[in-house]
């Protein structure tokens, strides 16, 4: 499970300690693909620099793949992958859909197009209401669905809405009046996964169709579909839709949980996805690849399973 934008923090590469050398090739390929010093972004960039979309997305992707590299170095191989928003591209690399070089090219293109979008927007997390209630309020506030809509459905009662800042400001009291526990502004630069990003969709779609793609080597749960990919065409369609359509993460989690005997690992900084899983099925343990002790525990469990 690969996290997305928002997991970045200043100096995050230092957390790898002596293992930095083991992931050096990730940053070399990132630099070759993008012409950017992604290693420095993850090592010395401050919070303000990392919050810029064109920097955030490259840095988060590099850290996701750094931790994935450590896992595969020690023998881990995925049976199922999924990634939250930006993290979906890391997941597709892990499934062998495209090369590491092309992963960074795709993420760099996506980030640049998002940064160049003229229409400004915002995201806001609504806690304590289900998807139908949030959708109903969004429709009341904006019947067109163009200025306010659901961007991400993360857990049963954690829904992120996106749109024009003034529309979100008007809708927040409605969410609270209908029973929302809290509404929390999301610290991003635009209304990702909403119609406000429509102007980037064509350019991103054209670029993706120019990248060599391969059928996945394992099962992939897609963001907008909220279900397993049926092949590379399904994957390409979802990557394009993701620009300005809802991410159905909660549906994807429920589909994942139909598989018995899961060993779940969050490949990236922190434990955001572990929290979403805990709110969906508290019985499931999600091991954090960025925690050396938990990473070792997960690898040991894999080894025991392989030997059984």
């Amino acid at each position: 499970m690969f996290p997305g934008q928002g997991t970045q923090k200043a100096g995050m590469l230092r957390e790898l300690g002596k293992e930095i050398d083991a992931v050096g090739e990730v940053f070399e390929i990132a630099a070759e693909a993008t012409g950017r010093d992604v290693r420095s972004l993850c090592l010395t960039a401050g919070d303000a620099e990392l919050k810029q979309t064109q920097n955030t997305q490259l840095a988060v992707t590099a850290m996701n793949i750094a931790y994935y590299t450590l896992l595969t170095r020690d023998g881990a191989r995925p049976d199922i992958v999924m990634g939250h928003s930006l993290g979906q591209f890391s997941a597709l690399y892990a499934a062998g859909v495209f090369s590491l070089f092309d992963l960074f090219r795709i993420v760099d293109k996506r980030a640049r197009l998002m940064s160049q979008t003229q229409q400004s927007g915002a995201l806001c997390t609504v806690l304590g209401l289900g998807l139908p209630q949030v959708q109903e309020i969004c429709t009341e506030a904006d019947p067109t669905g163009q200025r306010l809509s659901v961007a991400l459905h993360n857990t049963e009662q954690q829904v992120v809405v996106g749109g024009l800042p003034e529309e979100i400001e008007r809708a927040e009291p409605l969410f609270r009046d209908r029973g929302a526990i809290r509404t929390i502004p999301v610290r991003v630069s635009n209304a990702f996964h909403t119609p406000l990003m429509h102007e980037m969709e064509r350019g991103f779609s054209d670029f993706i169709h120019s990248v060599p793609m391969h059928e996945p080597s394992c099962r992939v749960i897609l963001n907008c579909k909220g279900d397993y990919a049926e092949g590379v065409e399904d994957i390409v369609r979802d990557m394009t839709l993701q620009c300005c359509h809802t991410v159905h993460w909660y549906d994807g989690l429920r589909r994942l949980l139909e598989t018995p005997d899961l060993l779940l690992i969050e490949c990236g900084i922190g434990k955001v996805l572990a929290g979403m899983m805990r709110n969906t099925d508290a019985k499931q343990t999600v091991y954090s690849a960025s925690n050396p002790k938990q990473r070792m525990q997960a690898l040991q469990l894999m080894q025991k399973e392989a030997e059984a």
Side-chain angles (χ1 to χ4, degrees), residues 125-129 155 157-159 179-184:
T125 301
V126 180
L127 298 176
L129 292 179
T155 68
Q157 295 200 323
Q158 184 193 115
V159 182
I181 299 169
R182 291 178 67 192
T183 56
I184 309 168

Side-chain angles (χ1 to χ4, degrees), residues 229-248:
E230 295 177 9
V232 71
E233 290 185 8
D234 209 15
I235 289 168
V236 171
R237 185 183 308 112
D238 206 272
M239 282 193 286
T240 302
L241 283 175
Q242 197 212 56
C243 295
C244 51
H245 292 78
T246 306
V247 169
H248 291 283

Side-chain angles (χ1 to χ4, degrees), residues 199-221:
E199 67 181 82
M200 69 162 286
E201 186 175 33
R202 178 62 182 271
F204 189 59
S205 176
D206 289 346
F207 183 79
I208 284 177
H209 280 88
S210 74
V211 175
M213 302 277 179
H214 310 282
E215 292 296 332
S217 58
C218 64
R219 287 180 286 172
V220 179
I221 297 178

Side-chain angles (χ1 to χ4, degrees), residues 11 18 36 56 62 99 101 113 134 139 151 167 204 211:
K18 295 179 180 179
R36 304 284 310 281
T56 310
S99 68
F101 183 86
L113 288 171
V134 173
T139 301
E167 294 289 348
F204 189 59
V211 175

